[in-house]
């Protein structure tokens, strides 16, 4: 039987295309239409298929060669073909994925696995309509990577041709992050280019921030119903950025508890008349702030920040506490200074005053700086617990939820008690479970016996 020469067919007018990958070696058995090499021109990547089944007896090109139409690629000894190389039934996409997932290369595996994959999948491609179309278009078929399932390497659930995989490796892109728009979700070269363009353009703090986290796909919600798009406020975007930074940088742990504030509430109710005289309101919040200040004083680790180097802890000798305020423009956190040195009345007045100015957007930047710890109270809004995000570089935050009257066993009977749910989130790089547990227990104890607040 004759030796058959494989040549570069019509490659769509490309003057010279570079050989970027050899997919077979001398001695390899190949089947009809199996890809032998990958060419890349300015316009596209394409694979040059075997024009007959047999054994590769000579490879006439090397990586880096520039080839034009008619150039000789390889010699195939048609007589040498063996039964093993005979076509196998076309797998369905599902079957093909399953096989690949079990014994196939990892997403970025290349080389030998690619060849194996190509050999395994080549027969299937021959029977697919896409290949038939390509073959019909030219006597000596050219299978552009973008149109030929036979060139697919299936690794896990990633479909991509070798040329695209190679390019992805060169660019350092994990293909798993790229949305494929080709048949069966195959990743095309254009998809890769689009992905890289998007990453370069992406502003800091966008939905994904170049953190190696798989990107969130852009969805056209209007496909599913009417939508309205409104611009976000600067404050919202700033908050989103801060939350994202904290969420990604801080290993969070949240501990929950309930404070019995029955006595505190009774005491507070008795202060209402005086509050009116003082032209202020008295809510549980100033008591909470005072309890936090005393607990911070007793647990200095919670009143610290991690130095940027990670080598040191910065212990603060002052106790400034931020209070999260819900405003129409977004979340603001004014800071109350020296909480440990202020009376409950002073704190009540200051919270009301700062919250009012926050809602009117009249806070000065300096009034939102210097906090050691934050209290976020959703008590008036509702809910029985939530996990607040640490306002880094602070190392802890207290989330306060809505009180509920619950039966509590007092040793002889169940008695109705007003219980306040509290949740402490902390930065586990700095605060251990013991530190966090002691701190929260101290707060609960102080709120349960307000006589201690004046000590
Ligand atoms: N359980 C039940 N009732 C509560 C409560 C609680 N835990 N905390 C407060 N209340 C009551 C108050 O006592 C007050 O009622 P009375 O006037 O009858 O006493 C009422 O709820 C309204 O309180 P308030 O919200 O106006 O005042 P506050 O001092 O409790 O809180 C402020 C002030 C500024 C913290 C609050 O208005 C606010 O903005 N909270 C939202 C914070 C937030 O958004 N956190 C989330 C941040 S992360 O996204």
């Amino acid at each position: 039987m004759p030796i058959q020469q494989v040549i570069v067919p019509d490659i769509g007018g490309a003057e010279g295309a570079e050989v970027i990958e050899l997919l077979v070696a001398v001695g390899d058995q190949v089947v009809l239409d199996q890809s032998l090499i990958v060419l890349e021109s300015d316009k596209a990547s394409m694979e040059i298929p075997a024009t007959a089944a047999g054994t590769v007896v000579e490879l006439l090109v090397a990586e880096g060669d520039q080839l034009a139409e008619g150039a000789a690629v390889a010699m195939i000894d048609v007589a040498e073909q063996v039964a093993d190389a005979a076509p196998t039934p076309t797998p369905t996409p599902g079957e093909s994925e399953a096989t690949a997932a079990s014994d196939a290369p990892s997403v970025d595996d290349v080389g030998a696995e690619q060849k194996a994959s190509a050999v395994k999948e080549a027969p299937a491609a021959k029977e697919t309509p896409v290949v038939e179309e390509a073959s019909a278009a030219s006597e000596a078929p050219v299978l552009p990577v973008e149109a030929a399932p036979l060139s697919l390497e299936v690794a896990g659930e990633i479909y991509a041709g070798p040329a695209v995989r190679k390019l992805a490796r060169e660019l350092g892109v994990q293909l798993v992050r790229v949305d494929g728009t080709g048949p069966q979700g195959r990743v095309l070269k254009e998809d890769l280019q689009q992905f890289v363009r998007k990453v370069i353009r992406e502003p800091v703090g966008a939905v994904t921030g170049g953190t190696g986290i798989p990107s969130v796909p852009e969805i056209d919600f209007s496909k599913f119903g009417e939508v309205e798009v409104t611009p976000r406020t600067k404050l919202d975007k700033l908050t989103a950025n801060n939350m994202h930074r904290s969420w990604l940088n801080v290993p969070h742990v949240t501990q929950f508890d309930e404070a019995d504030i029955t006595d505190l509430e009774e005491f507070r109710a008795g202060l209402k008349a005086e509050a009116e005289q003082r032209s202020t309101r008295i809510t549980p919040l100033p008591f909470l702030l005072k309890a936090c200040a005393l607990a911070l004083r007793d647990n200095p680790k919670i009143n610290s920040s991690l130095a940027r180097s990670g080598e040191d802890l910065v212990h603060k000798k002052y106790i400034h506490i931020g209070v999260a305020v819900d405003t129409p423009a977004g979340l603001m956190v004014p800071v109350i200074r020296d909480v440990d040195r202020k009376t409950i009345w002073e704190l009540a007045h200051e919270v009301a005053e700062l919250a009012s100015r926050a809602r009117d957007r009249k806070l000065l930047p300096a009034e939102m700086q210097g906090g050691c710890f934050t209290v976020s109270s959703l008590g008036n809004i509702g809910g029985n617990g939530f996990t607040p995000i640490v306002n880094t570089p602070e190392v802890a935050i207290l989330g306060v939820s809505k009180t509920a009257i619950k039966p509590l066993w007092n040793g002889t009977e169940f008695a109705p008690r007003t219980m306040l749910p509290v949740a402490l989130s902390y930065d586990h790089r700095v605060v251990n479970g013991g530190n966090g547990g002691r701190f929260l227990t101290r707060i609960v104890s102080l709120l349960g016996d307000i006589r201690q607040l004046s000590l």
Side-chain angles (χ1 to χ4, degrees):
M1 291 289 278
I3 304 280
Q4 203 176 93
Q5 188 182 52
V6 181
I7 58 162
V8 175
D10 176 4
I11 51 176
E15 303 247 320
E18 188 186 341
V19 179
I20 60 163
E21 204 159 3
L22 302 177
L23 301 175
V24 292
V26 171
D28 280 0
Q29 287 153 6
V30 293
V31 295
L32 177 67
D33 282 343
Q34 179 176 335
S35 298
L36 303 178
I37 62 168
V38 183
L39 291 183
E40 193 170 60
S41 72
D42 291 343
K43 296 183 190 129
S45 300
M46 63 209 92
E47 297 181 15
I48 305 301
T51 43
T55 303
V56 178
V57 289
E58 200 174 357
L59 261 178
L60 303 164
V61 295
E63 282 190 15
D65 286 358
Q66 296 284 330
L67 304 186
E69 182 181 343
V73 171
M75 306 298 275
I76 294 177
D77 185 344
V78 180
E80 291 284 332
Q81 74 174 286
V82 291
D84 275 354
T88 53
T90 309
T92 63
E95 284 166 347
S96 144
E97 277 175 41
T99 314
S102 56
D103 60 354
S106 64
V107 171
D108 284 324
D109 273 354
V110 289
E113 287 88 349
Q114 270 180 354
K115 289 176 195 163
S117 173
V119 170
K120 196 157 52 182
E121 289 167 29
K126 191 172 173 249
E127 292 172 31
T128 67
V130 185
V131 175
E132 278 162 15
E133 257 175 51
S135 300
S138 152
E139 281 288 303
V142 174
L143 302 177
V145 169
E146 289 73 16
L150 86 90
S151 65
L152 290 185
E153 181 191 355
V154 183
E157 296 198 350
I158 308 300
Y159 281 74
V164 172
R165 285 179 184 280
K166 186 162 191 240
L167 186 59
R169 282 200 308 283
E170 285 166 2
L171 294 170
V173 173
Q174 286 177 303
L175 282 175
V176 72
R177 298 181 61 198
V178 182
D179 296 327
T181 60
Q184 298 173 22
R186 182 150 57 119
V187 179
L188 310 180
K189 190 177 171 193
E190 294 73 42
D191 297 329
L192 206 52
Q193 289 165 338
Q194 174 77 10
F195 175 83
V196 171
R197 258 183 245 124
K198 193 168 139 235
V199 168
I200 290 169
R201 279 201 307 259
E202 209 157 62
V204 175
V207 176
T208 51
T211 49
I213 296 170
S215 64
V216 177
E218 177 109 41
I219 291 183
D220 177 8
F221 297 102
S222 66
K223 282 198 302 202
F224 311 110
E226 193 185 327
V227 296
E228 185 194 351
V229 179
T230 56
R232 301 182 77 192
T233 64
K234 262 192 183 157
L235 187 58
D236 270 346
K237 287 191 277 187
L238 189 70
T239 303
N241 210 17
N242 290 343
M243 293 293 176
H244 197 191
R245 185 177 53 200
S246 184
W247 184 254
L248 292 175
N249 281 298
V250 175
H252 280 74
V253 174
T254 305
Q255 171 156 347
F256 302 90
D257 209 336
E258 282 182 325
D260 181 346
I261 60 164
T262 315
D263 297 343
L264 187 158
E265 285 296 83
E266 213 177 293
F267 179 65
R268 189 172 71 88
L271 294 174
K272 289 228 164 160
E274 190 178 343
E276 266 176 41
Q277 277 175 10
R278 290 172 177 263
S279 307
T280 192
R281 284 188 319 137
I282 188 105
T283 67
L285 191 55
F287 296 92
L288 269 156
L289 289 169
K290 195 76 183 173
C292 289
L294 298 187
L296 283 167
R297 192 189 61 194
D298 297 345
N299 295 271
K301 221 173 189 190
I302 315 282
N303 202 36
S304 72
S305 280
L306 198 56
R308 205 175 139 77
S309 65
E311 297 292 324
D312 304 305
L313 269 190
V314 181
H315 295 277
K316 296 154 199 169
K317 304 294 180 187
Y318 49 85
I319 296 179
H320 303 340
I321 300 181
V323 176
V325 179
D326 185 29
T327 82
L331 182 68
M332 289 191 143
V333 187
V335 173
I336 301 179
R337 303 203 176 244
D338 300 313
V339 177
D340 54 325
R341 291 198 247 143
K342 289 182 175 157
T343 66
I344 297 287
W345 287 118
E346 283 171 331
L347 293 173
H349 177 75
E350 205 168 330
V351 167
E353 202 262 333
L354 285 173
S356 156
R357 284 202 292 120
R359 290 183 181 121
D360 294 342
R361 309 225 45 188
K362 291 196 173 140
L363 285 179
L364 301 171
E367 290 175 302
M368 291 180 278
Q369 291 165 2
C372 311
F373 179 80
T374 298
V375 174
S376 174
S377 172
L378 291 176
N380 180 39
I381 296 168
N384 57 14
F386 65 101
T387 55
I389 296 179
V390 172
N391 191 10
T392 190
E394 296 167 17
V395 297
I397 180 170
L398 189 76
V400 182
S401 297
K402 195 175 181 67
T403 52
I405 297 177
K406 294 186 177 177
L408 213 69
W409 186 251
N410 63 14
T412 45
E413 58 180 357
F414 281 104
R417 307 295 291 179
T418 304
M419 305 302 291
L420 178 74
V422 282
L424 178 80
S425 290
Y426 55 83
D427 182 340
H428 209 347
R429 293 173 304 175
V430 175
V431 180
N432 294 329
N435 307 130
R438 277 187 290 274
F439 177 73
L440 190 59
T441 304
R442 180 83 177 116
I443 290 176
V444 166
S445 151
L446 288 164
L447 292 172
D449 182 2
I450 48 168
R451 290 169 304 175
Q452 296 182 73
L453 288 180
S454 56
L455 295 178

